[in-house]
Amino acid sequence: MGDKQINEKADLVRELSKTHFDYVFAGFGASASLLLLEMDRRNLLNDSNVLILDPGSPENSDKTFCFWAAEEDPIVENLHSLISHSWSEAKTGNQENCSINPYQYYHIPGKLLYKQACEIIQKNKCQHLRIPVDSIHSDEGGTFVCVGDHQLSARRIFDSRPPVFRQAERNEIHIHQSFVGLVIETENPVFDEKSIHFMDFNISQNGGTQFVYLLPFSAKTALVELTRFSSDVIREEESIEQIKVYINDRFGQFTVNSVERGCIPMSNAEIINQNLPGISLLGSRNYSVKPSTGYAFKNMHRHAVAISDCLTNSNEKGLDALNNEHSKTTRGRFAFYDALLLRILKHNPELGKPIFLKLFGSSKLGEILRFLDEKSSLKAECVIFSRLPYKPFIISLIRQLNGIKWVRPLILAMLTVLLLAIGFVSNWQMYAGYTLFFSGMLLVGIPHGAVDHLLESGKWENKNISGFILRYLLQAFSMALVWYLTPNLALILFLAYSIWHFGQADGQLWGLRRHTATLWGASVIIFILGTHTTETNSILSYMSSLKLPIQCHWMALMPWLLYAIYKQNFSFAITIIWLSLTSFLPLMFAFGLYFIGQHSCTSWVQICRHLNYSHKQVWLQALPFNLAAWLLMAAFFILWPMNKTVLTINPWGIFFMFISCISLPHAFAMQKIYRNKL
Ligand SMILES: Cc1cc2nc3c(=O)[nH]c(=O)nc-3n(C[C@H](O)[C@H](O)[C@H](O)COP(=O)(O)OP(=O)(O)OC[C@H]3O[C@@H](n4cnc5c(N)ncnc54)[C@H](O)[C@@H]3O)c2cc1C
């Protein structure tokens, strides 16, 4: 744009800033066009002062919009003049064509949609400026958009600028549906005009889930599109070559009329939005895209109808309520199904092909489309799921549950109650408790501290490993020496760095500030020991001459419970409840539940995320040091100069002294993860 044009636009914006508009559209894409069409249909634009701001040129759009609907659906009636093609049959995978009754599949060329929207703009004398909106605000003075230094105010703003997603949280998945399509004309009549091909998987998967989507417009013309569901985006040149080979092999010679390309987020992550009165969010920005399919058109139309209903009734509150919040879109069973599928597509993209083939191959297409429309019954969904390969969904479900913060505390709470219950009726509590304790130590308790060698650089580095082992042993040996020379000081040190280390891990999990985290670390250790004073002092008597000076009531953690409830941190709250119950279990079980179930598991997840490794990878990497730790423990038991009589009475003293030696270097190593995070 030349200087003259820029100045002209700036002058125009300055002039417009003197006007108070009825409606400002920030973004003029598909959702805004659908809304303009619907508002025009109901004469809501007559005598309205409307401004449309969008830097793009929608008339050049190469998008094709498709959706399935029953013939009597309002979308078909409202948009019938734009529908260029419809199909009553479809096939997926290697299936034969079959009816998609009660639906038809409809096609609207993007260009036609925008053309009609532009005609409406002209007819209603709306102002259309090809400039971007910088930001949108709503305060006591009203609602306005900022363009450069100017504020343009409006009664209502429709914001359909492309969404910006927050970084996916632990239970969210963000992948892409990217595609490149060629609109082609073949030499011979090769296409079956009645039937679309939803997903042809006879194409290389290239480490993602890839398929060809084919829309025949006539016997000789069609859109042939290579689509990829994956964390990475399709490579255009390579894909065009692939499509050309695909077309040549099946349909012979052809010419390319146009190219469609695009990328749709398949995501259940949060969109950064200002949900303010007077601002209506539209399209992708308002979570219209179904995460597992990328279809949005029908949702956007439904939304345009709902907005127009509210405008007709001057229902401002109703309008604001149509803005979707992230929490609304992540609840419910369909959001849950989407999350399961997205997780599989992200972590095991090679399973996409067999799952989709089974999904479409084992039920009627109409039923599947109803399911994807989120209109199916629970019974129908059970039937659909029963025909799918169950293993990937179970793994995905476990991963999904693992990502929900309150699931682990709930399991630990149930385990605590179970141990308490069997303690009342039999002496099986001892067997169950110790079995859990030792298997937990073997699986995660010791291993969580056995990958410290990876924390610095993220990988095993042969040249550094001897130095690392030497440093590690030196720190552990120094601690053993302190135990030998001044046991009381060793005990105080051990308690101090355990408080610090436990506090850091839980603090990061629950988003506590540094000092609050340390206070929590101190509370939990004092609570576990203080609710088992006799057992604690019996162990301490072997380790040093110090005794625990206080005794705690089982409700001593209640202030933390109030804090957790105040912060609406339910996983923290459940943890405090089960920790309180552990005061009725023997000390080693209470300690084991916290150390293994809470501390080690929390650190484990933080380590996996820090290293970007799977659980299996981390466990295997930990294996050499895990084994070494058990051997060292055996050596410690044999070599430590001790009074044999005391050992037979209480071997836990030796156990904790050993744990203190290996956990000192571990606590330092974990600093690399927690540094800057608290
Ligand atoms: C190629 C393609 C094909 C698709 N096909 C289908 C389909 O067949 N069926 C289906 O259901 N869904 C489909 N979708 C998904 C979805 O329907 C579309 O993405 C749809 O365009 C979303 O509408 P929207 O209004 O949210 O965004 P868009 O249509 O992308 O409009 C956003 C507008 O905001 C403008 N803008 C950007 N920055 C600013 C700014 N700062 N200020 C003002 N304006 C700004 C852009 O220029 C753009 O015009 C497709 C998506 C793509 C990409």
Side-chain angles (χ1 to χ4, degrees):
M1 210 191 304
D3 283 352
K4 191 169 165 237
Q5 271 176 306
I6 292 173
N7 289 337
E8 275 173 13
K9 279 201 174 163
D11 288 344
L12 191 55
V13 173
R14 190 176 310 117
E15 207 45 44
L16 291 175
S17 66
K18 294 174 190 154
T19 311
H20 182 67
F21 290 92
D22 290 308
Y23 307 117
V24 167
F25 285 78
F28 179 35
S31 58
S33 300
L34 284 169
L35 181 57
L36 283 164
L37 260 63
E38 186 60 23
M39 286 170 77
D40 180 62
R41 205 174 64 82
R42 303 191 191 199
N43 298 323
L44 288 167
L45 294 171
N46 293 355
D47 307 321
S48 290
N49 208 350
V50 180
L51 173 66
I52 291 154
L53 299 166
D54 189 320
S57 310
E59 57 277 13
N60 299 331
S61 167
D62 56 8
K63 289 182 183 174
T64 56
F65 293 116
C66 288
F67 59 94
W68 58 87
E71 262 175 286
E72 62 280 7
D73 280 354
I75 187 170
V76 180
E77 193 189 325
N78 292 352
L79 303 180
H80 71 274
S81 61
L82 300 176
I83 293 172
S84 67
H85 287 88
S86 66
W87 298 265
S88 55
E89 289 182 8
K91 68 174 181 171
T92 43
N94 302 325
Q95 309 277 314
E96 290 302 306
N97 291 342
C98 53
S99 156
I100 55 171
N101 194 28
Y103 303 112
Q104 298 250 17
Y105 198 68
Y106 295 100
H107 168 252
I108 290 179
K111 272 199 177 94
L112 220 57
L113 173 69
Y114 299 122
K115 187 165 166 269
Q116 184 146 349
C118 286
E119 283 167 12
I120 287 168
I121 289 176
Q122 274 182 354
K123 186 180 85 182
N124 291 285
K125 300 196 173 51
C126 308
Q127 311 228 32
H128 178 192
L129 242 68
R130 291 179 198 271
I131 46 172
V133 167
D134 294 325
S135 54
I136 298 181
H137 306 268
S138 175
D139 58 26
E140 318 79 58
T143 315
F144 59 93
V145 299
C146 288
V147 177
D149 297 334
H150 301 286
Q151 295 184 352
L152 305 173
S153 68
R155 189 149 58 85
R156 180 153 290 271
I157 294 170
F158 296 109
D159 182 6
S160 64
R161 290 169 299 155
V164 180
F165 286 87
R166 254 185 233 293
Q167 193 172 11
E169 289 278 314
R170 51 192 267 152
N171 217 20
E172 296 166 350
I173 302 283
H174 188 101
I175 58 170
H176 308 283
Q177 177 181 144
S178 51
F179 45 87
V180 186
L182 304 181
V183 178
I184 56 156
E185 186 159 353
T186 53
E187 278 183 356
N188 301 312
V190 287
F191 299 117
D192 176 356
E193 289 173 65
K194 284 198 310 299
S195 175
I196 58 163
H197 201 153
F198 262 128
M199 288 176 144
D200 183 358
F201 282 100
N202 293 312
I203 190 129
S204 92
Q205 297 295 294
N206 274 350
T209 301
Q210 295 202 141
F211 57 89
V212 170
Y213 167 70
L214 193 148
L215 284 184
F217 300 125
S218 72
K220 285 179 152 191
T221 53
L223 166 70
V224 188
E225 199 155 78
L226 179 62
T227 306
R228 177 177 178 83
F229 295 167
S230 178
S231 301
D232 56 353
V233 175
I234 208 161
R235 286 190 288 272
E236 185 167 328
E237 276 177 29
E238 197 182 299
S239 306
I240 288 185
E241 284 317 306
Q242 250 184 304
I243 307 171
K244 285 184 174 169
V245 173
Y246 176 94
I247 300 170
N248 252 319
D249 287 353
R250 287 160 180 82
F251 310 114
Q253 291 294 312
F254 65 94
T255 49
V256 178
N257 290 345
S258 62
V259 181
E260 180 190 58
R261 50 179 72 78
C263 182
I264 305 173
M266 298 175 81
S267 175
N268 54 11
E270 186 175 352
I271 294 170
I272 302 173
N273 270 332
Q274 289 176 298
N275 232 332
L276 298 171
I279 299 173
S280 287
L281 306 169
L282 304 184
S284 314
R285 191 171 260 274
N286 196 28
Y287 299 96
S288 289
V289 180
K290 180 161 166 74
S292 57
T293 63
Y295 281 89
F297 198 77
K298 233 166 34 168
N299 286 343
M300 295 192 298
H301 177 264
R302 204 175 298 126
H303 192 215
V305 171
I307 289 180
S308 304
D309 284 345
C310 290
L311 288 174
T312 310
N313 301 321
S314 306
N315 180 358
E316 291 291 322
K317 281 218 169 98
L319 275 170
D320 292 336
L322 291 172
N323 289 344
N324 275 321
E325 285 158 21
H326 183 236
S327 56
K328 278 196 220 166
T329 60
T330 47
R331 272 191 237 126
R333 65 184 199 276
F334 290 102
F336 177 68
Y337 304 152
D338 283 347
L340 287 184
L341 186 64
L342 285 187
R343 198 170 281 282
I344 296 174
L345 293 175
K346 182 176 169 84
H347 295 290
N348 300 92
E350 73 286 356
L351 296 178
K353 176 176 170 176
I355 287 175
F356 284 113
L357 285 177
K358 263 274 188 232
L359 177 70
F360 286 104
S362 55
S363 301
K364 284 190 182 152
L365 258 179
E367 279 168 22
I368 300 294
L369 295 179
R370 194 192 305 279
F371 167 64
L372 295 178
D373 255 351
E374 308 190 349
K375 298 266 169 58
S376 48
S377 66
L378 194 58
K379 192 175 154 206
E381 289 147 31
C382 290
V383 174
I384 291 173
F385 283 126
S386 69
R387 293 169 183 162
L388 291 180
Y390 62 88
K391 204 171 144 195
F393 282 94
I394 289 180
I395 294 172
S396 177
L397 178 68
I398 292 169
R399 283 193 173 137
Q400 185 76 7
L401 291 178
N402 190 30
I404 300 173
K405 281 188 181 166
W406 49 262
V407 169
R408 183 154 48 93
L410 198 68
I411 293 171
L412 288 167
M414 292 193 303
L415 213 57
T416 309
V417 172
L418 194 74
L419 279 175
L420 281 170
I422 52 177
F424 281 119
V425 292
S426 71
N427 55 3
W428 272 88
Q429 188 194 61
M430 283 295 145
Y431 302 122
Y434 281 117
T435 310
L436 279 175
F437 184 85
F438 284 108
S439 39
M441 288 301 280
L442 203 65
L443 278 174
V444 63
I446 297 290
H448 95 273
V451 276
D452 298 342
H453 57 295
L454 299 176
L455 298 182
E456 185 73 65
S457 64
K459 57 179 188 299
W460 182 297
E461 290 186 7
N462 278 335
K463 65 177 169 34
N464 295 340
I465 203 72
S466 44
F468 168 83
I469 294 175
L470 208 67
R471 260 199 327 274
Y472 210 89
L473 287 177
L474 210 67
Q475 287 177 20
F477 185 74
S478 310
M479 191 62 205
L481 201 65
V482 182
W483 276 113
Y484 187 70
L485 297 175
T486 55
N488 290 356
L489 176 65
L491 180 65
I492 291 167
L493 281 177
F494 178 35
L495 287 174
Y497 61 76
S498 301
I499 286 171
W500 171 55
H501 178 56
F502 289 170
Q504 275 185 321
D506 288 349
Q508 196 189 337
L509 176 71
W510 293 321
L512 306 181
R513 287 172 181 276
R514 197 187 301 261
H515 296 304
T516 320
T518 311
L519 190 63
W520 163 251
S523 308
V524 78
I525 289 187
I526 294 171
F527 176 80
I528 294 175
L529 301 182
T531 46
H532 300 87
T533 324
T534 317
E535 289 166 276
T536 302
N537 283 332
S538 151
I539 296 173
L540 291 186
S541 69
Y542 182 80
M543 299 166 76
S544 73
S545 59
L546 294 178
K547 273 191 186 284
L548 191 70
I550 51 166
Q551 202 165 2
C552 295
H553 191 268
W554 74 275
M555 284 179 57
L557 287 178
M558 286 306 126
W560 281 107
L561 182 63
L562 296 179
Y563 176 78
I565 293 171
Y566 169 70
K567 290 278 175 189
Q568 298 191 359
N569 190 334
F570 299 112
S571 76
F572 193 4
I574 301 171
T575 303
I576 290 158
I577 294 171
W578 69 255
L579 266 173
S580 303
L581 293 177
T582 59
S583 57
F584 301 105
L585 286 171
L587 172 65
M588 286 317 295
F589 300 164
F591 168 76
L593 278 165
Y594 176 75
F595 179 70
I596 299 163
Q598 172 63 18
H599 171 72
S600 305
C601 287
T602 301
S603 307
W604 184 263
V605 173
Q606 289 160 348
I607 290 167
C608 291
R609 224 175 284 149
H610 175 77
L611 296 174
N612 208 5
Y613 283 2
S614 68
H615 296 290
K616 191 173 157 194
Q617 280 171 319
V618 176
W619 204 83
L620 290 176
Q621 292 278 357
L623 194 56
F625 288 94
N626 184 7
L627 291 176
W630 289 98
L631 286 176
L632 271 179
M633 191 178 333
F636 197 85
F637 264 85
I638 295 165
L639 296 177
W640 187 254
M642 60 190 159
N643 178 342
K644 295 280 175 197
T645 353
V646 177
L647 174 66
T648 44
I649 296 165
N650 202 333
W652 292 115
I654 293 276
F655 173 81
F656 279 113
M657 282 158 72
F658 174 75
I659 289 291
S660 81
C661 293
I662 58 167
S663 52
L664 177 71
H666 166 65
F668 284 129
M670 286 298 283
Q671 265 298 96
K672 302 197 174 58
I673 292 189
Y674 301 130
R675 205 169 27 207
N676 306 327
K677 288 196 177 156
L678 284 177

